[in-house]
Amino acid sequence: MSVAGKTAVITGSNSGIGLGIAKEMAKAGVNVVLNSFTDSEEDHALAEEIGRKHGVTARYIQADMSKADQCRALIEKAGTCDILVNNAGIQHVAPIDEFPVEKWDAIVAINLSSAFHTTAAALPVMRKARWGRVVNIASAHGLTASPYKSAYVAAKHGIVGMTKVVALETAQEPITANAICPGYVLTPLVEAQIPDTMKKYDMDRDEVIKKVMLERQPSKEFATVEQLGGTALFLCSDAAAQITGTTISVDGGWTAL
Ligand code: NAD
């Protein structure tokens, strides 16, 4: 069965990985719901452009993934949700004894609790449609840790754990739940850090990428948003119907170290 004609709700998808996944899904004929906490003309124009380019229905629905009721309302407003991609995420870096409480709360809310709320709201919709795919965008930090990223690592390990529970609760239904664990991905957010890091270390772009950013990524190459979109699509394919409750690393060998 092809995924064309299904509907995917992708949280945090007006930039970076979420947008990349939305574009790859639309290219495969999937109708997409884009989301973020903003509600600008550009957000809606982005969805229109994707819809026009790929001949699918593409909508933008504003919802703040730090708020439980808005997470659930996103699924309700989408109306249908065959594929749920929990992607919204933020980061903050600080030693644990200096970690701001409000940053901890925001990271746990956006990177972990939002997926609990959207999944709880989406599963009844998937059950009614007798098909569903939950794809959680975790991280290499869902499987391993780095100093100064306590909230992020805790939330990402948490979402990997929750993925397993969702898989077990849906194991005898035509629904799967998996987590993708990307290493470093060249998103606009990461790209924007390159010039400053070049200055800080007096290095050229290539050195910054290989020696600083990709220090822990053995391939010494970023993963791309297209590769993540392709991985998400694979998890939605018939070939992946028995893949559930697991993680797929897209990290250039990071977690093999
Ligand atoms: P990004 O900043 O480009 O994208 C994050 C998205 O989340 C944006 O669309 C943003 O608007 C949205 N968002 C933030 N707060 C939100 C909120 N309160 N409500 C709704 N949407 C909100 O970053 P990205 O690199 O594309 O990250 C996407 C996901 O991939 C995150 O979960 C991140 O942890 C994960 N990830 C990224 C990398 C990487 O190297 N870029 C690696 C591993 C995992």
Side-chain angles (χ1 to χ4, degrees):
M1 186 177 48
S2 152
V3 287
K6 303 279 188 201
T7 296
V9 177
I10 304 137
T11 70
S13 46
N14 65 351
S15 92
I17 294 171
L19 180 57
I21 291 174
K23 286 181 176 170
E24 291 302 306
M25 292 261 171
K27 214 187 277 179
V30 176
N31 301 314
V32 290
V33 173
L34 271 64
N35 153 266
S36 186
F37 59 92
T38 52
D39 199 14
S40 68
E41 269 178 35
E42 292 82 49
D43 291 329
H44 292 273
L46 205 52
E48 257 171 53
E49 189 196 321
I50 291 174
R52 205 176 326 113
K53 188 165 176 197
H54 300 293
V56 296
T57 303
R59 287 178 293 154
Y60 179 86
I61 301 178
Q62 187 269 342
D64 184 343
M65 291 297 105
S66 69
K67 309 271 190 302
D69 55 343
Q70 295 194 30
C71 294
R72 289 170 189 259
L74 170 65
I75 304 302
E76 202 178 304
K77 285 180 190 165
T80 174
C81 179
D82 305 302
I83 299 164
L84 171 63
V85 183
N86 287 306
N87 169 78
I90 58 166
Q91 174 66 287
H92 185 79
V93 179
I96 195 158
D97 50 336
E98 292 168 19
F99 211 92
V101 173
E102 63 280 7
K103 291 285 182 198
W104 172 279
D105 289 345
I107 290 175
V108 171
I110 296 168
N111 297 22
L112 176 58
S113 301
S114 70
F116 158 66
H117 296 298
T118 55
T119 304
L123 281 183
V125 181
M126 292 176 178
R127 286 183 169 128
K128 212 165 159 198
R130 298 218 35 80
W131 192 89
R133 294 286 182 266
V134 179
V135 179
N136 292 325
I137 306 305
S139 166
H141 282 116
L143 304 168
T144 180
S146 293
Y148 314 124
K149 295 185 177 176
S150 53
Y152 189 83
V153 170
K156 293 300 186 182
H157 275 68
I159 203 166
V160 168
M162 197 187 73
T163 304
K164 295 177 188 176
V165 174
V166 176
L168 292 178
E169 291 186 13
T170 57
Q172 294 185 13
E173 301 173 81
I175 296 171
T176 68
N178 292 288
I180 298 177
C181 294
Y184 265 104
V185 186
L186 191 53
T187 60
L189 198 84
V190 174
E191 180 69 53
Q193 294 166 20
I194 295 177
D196 277 353
T197 318
M198 283 168 66
K199 271 189 220 146
K200 188 175 165 193
Y201 291 100
D202 192 23
M203 288 179 176
D204 64 24
R205 183 185 160 87
D206 206 44
E207 280 177 310
V208 161
I209 289 173
K210 293 199 165 119
K211 293 186 183 159
V212 182
M213 295 186 144
L214 298 179
E215 196 218 333
R216 292 177 73 182
Q217 200 144 307
S219 66
K220 300 297 169 202
E221 279 183 34
F222 287 110
T224 67
V225 299
E226 290 79 12
Q227 289 163 352
L228 291 166
T231 307
L233 270 173
F234 166 66
L235 288 172
C236 296
S237 71
D238 284 344
Q242 283 299 314
I243 298 177
T244 194
T246 193
T247 56
I248 296 194
S249 291
V250 185
D251 67 1
W254 179 336
T255 44
L257 279 174

